[in-house]
Amino acid sequence: MSDSLFADASKRLEEAMKYVAISDDALEHLKYPKSSLAVSIPVRMDDGSLKIFQGYRVRYDDTRGPTKGGVRYHPNVCMDEVQSLAFWMTFKCAVLNLPFGGAKGGITLNPKELSKMELERLSRGYVDAIADFIGPDIDIPAPDVYTNPMIMGWMMDQYNIIRRQITPAVVTGKPISMGGSLGRDTATATGAFYAIQIIMPKFDKLPEDTTVAIQGFGNAGAWLAELLFTAGYKVVAVSDSQGGIYAKNGLDIPRIRQYKTSSKGIKALYCQDTVCDIADNQSITNEELLALDVDILIPAALENQITQENVNDVKAKFIFEVANGPVASGADKILEERGIYVFPDILVNAGGVTVSYFEWVQNRSGLYWTLEEVNQRLRQKMVEETEHIWKISQELAISMRTAAYVHALHRLGEAINAKGTRDYYINGGMS
């Protein structure tokens, strides 16, 4: 366990515990996931062969409400990763004060190697395997790495078939035509953009004087790049899994996004091309992007991108975590000692789960909001919680990550304690 991602994720609490009066019962409760499920998913492939895929779903904590979390399709998916992501989701929901606990799911595969029909059979097979583990009042899946609205639509439809009823609130991130929320597909990026807009003026940084590098040009990274570009920030580098591009005077982000989404970039469900094929910009590696001398570095790909091995190469003054867990715990202290501000994933990328909550609310009520209403509500949430965490950070002289965990622990501790603690029972109940 000492080398696991979950053990590394759990270390985030150690520093926060110094600043929170939380019961032993609550601490004990948060050490372990509520339930974990591993399933085998048989899929008939297009060539007639049968292939078994390994799937997972972890519900970490449901003290504050039904659990919530995405489903990722990736070769590195394993129980340790899924449990860690569910742990982070627990705190993310508490940070944004959502009535959810944390969950996560995934299937171990390279989705780019499957046809659309194989992906559909796999997605429906996953729901067949976990149908008794999920539900609108139990656990609500959503998109994550290499999953999208179409895949969420397949999952919801399969759940409907199994239950013999229409249950749109079982899954969020669905197509709009199936009950999805406006703004959900861009929510992670939009929430991160709001956080950046709230934080940077505190350091007297104007957009036109601020350089940005973004690792990860998937849905969140690409949309955030365009939002920043439109707001006047100088986005000088972006990358995807194959490599990246750099331009000292700034990149033409709309052109790069168009390239990625044009017919020469996406001809199937997943993109086969890479941003580094655009010839009139300097090609760089993902490692070189992380070491660029920029104002803002945005890791928007996968976890553990900045570790003790490469942390000293980082030159950015501010890091906004759009990916989950991109900075390893061992690198945190070094960045702090070097005066580099890290704004944590459980705050910065919480726009996705926040608008998933909005989608769930809309599904349950049958009343649907305009895009303007969704973004206004999201901005209100992000401003309120970012300012609250900034205040904790300043008052206690602690990092924004520690402040976010302090904020979340207060809310989780109160909810757990409300069910009764050792002190409550030993001291005679309500007396």
Side-chain angles (χ1 to χ4, degrees):
M1 178 65 78
S2 60
D3 294 327
S4 75
L5 181 63
F6 179 66
D8 190 69
S10 301
K11 291 178 183 177
R12 307 297 198 193
L13 294 183
E14 294 177 6
E15 186 67 20
M17 290 306 306
K18 301 174 184 177
Y19 305 95
V20 182
I22 189 171
S23 68
D24 292 340
D25 293 46
L27 281 178
E28 185 70 11
H29 187 90
L30 291 169
K31 284 181 183 178
Y32 308 99
K34 179 180 178 68
S35 51
S36 305
L37 181 66
V39 297
S40 295
I41 310 161
V43 175
R44 184 66 62 184
M45 307 301 282
D46 291 346
D47 63 3
S49 64
L50 183 70
K51 188 169 182 179
I52 306 295
F53 294 88
Q54 195 69 28
Y56 307 92
R57 188 72 186 172
V58 173
R59 302 199 319 246
Y60 199 88
D61 181 81
D62 62 359
T63 306
R64 290 171 48 85
T67 53
K68 188 82 188 68
V71 179
R72 65 174 50 183
Y73 290 179
H74 194 274
N76 294 336
V77 166
C78 62
M79 181 61 80
D80 177 52
E81 180 187 55
V82 172
Q83 180 170 302
S84 302
L85 293 165
F87 172 86
W88 281 319
M89 280 297 300
T90 299
F91 287 87
K92 189 182 303 182
C93 290
V95 162
L96 269 292
N97 203 20
L98 306 178
F100 289 141
K104 211 72 175 186
I107 304 174
T108 309
L109 80 153
N110 181 353
K112 297 179 182 180
E113 295 176 352
L114 274 65
S115 72
K116 289 182 182 179
M117 290 187 292
E118 289 168 340
L119 282 167
E120 180 177 2
R121 291 193 286 270
L122 174 68
S123 302
R124 290 180 181 275
Y126 178 67
V127 174
D128 284 341
I130 69 166
D132 294 329
F133 205 70
I134 62 174
D137 296 308
I138 303 169
D139 177 31
I140 306 108
D144 199 83
V145 176
Y146 288 131
T147 53
N148 59 20
M150 179 175 284
I151 290 173
M152 293 303 108
W154 291 334
M155 290 185 178
M156 186 194 81
D157 185 59
Q158 191 63 25
Y159 187 85
N160 291 346
I161 291 169
I162 293 168
R163 297 298 185 205
R164 295 183 181 274
Q165 63 185 33
I166 304 301
T167 315
V170 69
V171 168
T172 59
K174 306 177 293 293
I176 301 299
S177 60
M178 298 178 71
S181 175
L182 294 170
R184 175 59 185 87
D185 57 337
T186 58
T188 300
T190 304
F193 176 71
Y194 290 150
I196 293 169
Q197 290 284 74
I198 296 160
I199 291 295
M200 297 314 293
K202 299 181 186 300
F203 296 91
D204 298 321
K205 294 291 292 183
L206 298 173
E208 58 268 27
D209 300 324
T210 306
T211 54
V212 182
I214 301 177
Q215 183 206 40
F217 209 68
N219 181 54
W223 182 246
L224 178 55
E226 184 145 336
L227 288 172
L228 291 169
F229 174 86
T230 302
Y233 291 83
K234 188 184 293 184
V235 183
V236 298
V238 297
S239 68
D240 61 14
S241 59
Q242 301 301 311
I245 50 177
Y246 168 77
K248 181 180 179 180
N249 294 321
L251 296 165
D252 184 347
I253 296 300
R255 175 172 172 253
I256 296 171
R257 289 199 72 197
Q258 183 179 15
Y259 179 88
K260 281 283 287 186
T261 58
S262 69
S263 59
K264 63 181 176 181
I266 295 179
K267 295 182 179 179
L269 188 62
Y270 293 100
C271 175
Q272 301 295 322
D273 244 320
T274 171
V275 296
C276 59
D277 288 335
I278 300 177
D280 58 347
N281 297 292
Q282 178 185 342
S283 294
I284 59 172
T285 65
N286 272 288
E287 291 74 21
E288 289 170 335
L289 183 144
L290 294 174
L292 288 174
D293 187 4
V294 292
D295 296 307
I296 296 176
L297 174 62
I298 300 175
L302 296 171
E303 59 269 5
N304 281 346
Q305 298 302 298
I306 299 175
T307 65
Q308 287 177 289
E309 284 67 42
N310 66 356
V311 65
N312 288 317
D313 297 330
V314 174
K315 300 180 184 68
K317 302 170 185 66
F318 308 94
I319 297 175
F320 287 85
E321 295 183 328
V322 172
N324 289 306
V327 179
S329 63
D332 257 341
K333 196 67 177 176
I334 298 171
L335 290 169
E336 188 175 354
E337 289 170 352
R338 294 181 56 203
I340 296 173
Y341 288 85
V342 179
F343 300 93
D345 48 0
I346 61 172
L347 170 65
V348 175
N349 73 17
V353 69
T354 301
V355 178
S356 274
Y357 164 59
F358 295 164
E359 182 176 331
W360 180 79
V361 169
Q362 292 170 83
N363 292 158
R364 302 297 291 262
S365 68
L367 299 173
Y368 289 83
W369 307 336
T370 65
L371 179 59
E372 290 72 22
E373 286 176 305
V374 169
N375 285 337
Q376 186 275 328
R377 291 170 189 265
L378 173 59
R379 188 180 189 282
Q380 181 179 347
K381 276 282 190 185
M382 292 300 299
V383 169
E384 182 178 330
E385 302 304 340
T386 301
E387 292 287 10
H388 198 143
I389 292 167
W390 175 260
K391 183 179 179 182
I392 294 171
S393 172
Q394 296 301 296
E395 289 180 348
L396 298 179
I398 56 178
S399 71
M400 282 290 284
R401 188 189 308 283
T402 301
Y405 276 94
V406 167
H407 191 38
L409 277 170
H410 277 304
R411 286 175 171 161
L412 286 163
E414 286 175 357
I416 293 168
N417 290 350
K419 295 183 178 181
T421 65
R422 177 182 180 276
D423 289 341
Y424 174 86
Y425 294 113
I426 293 298
N427 293 328
M430 296 179 65
S431 57

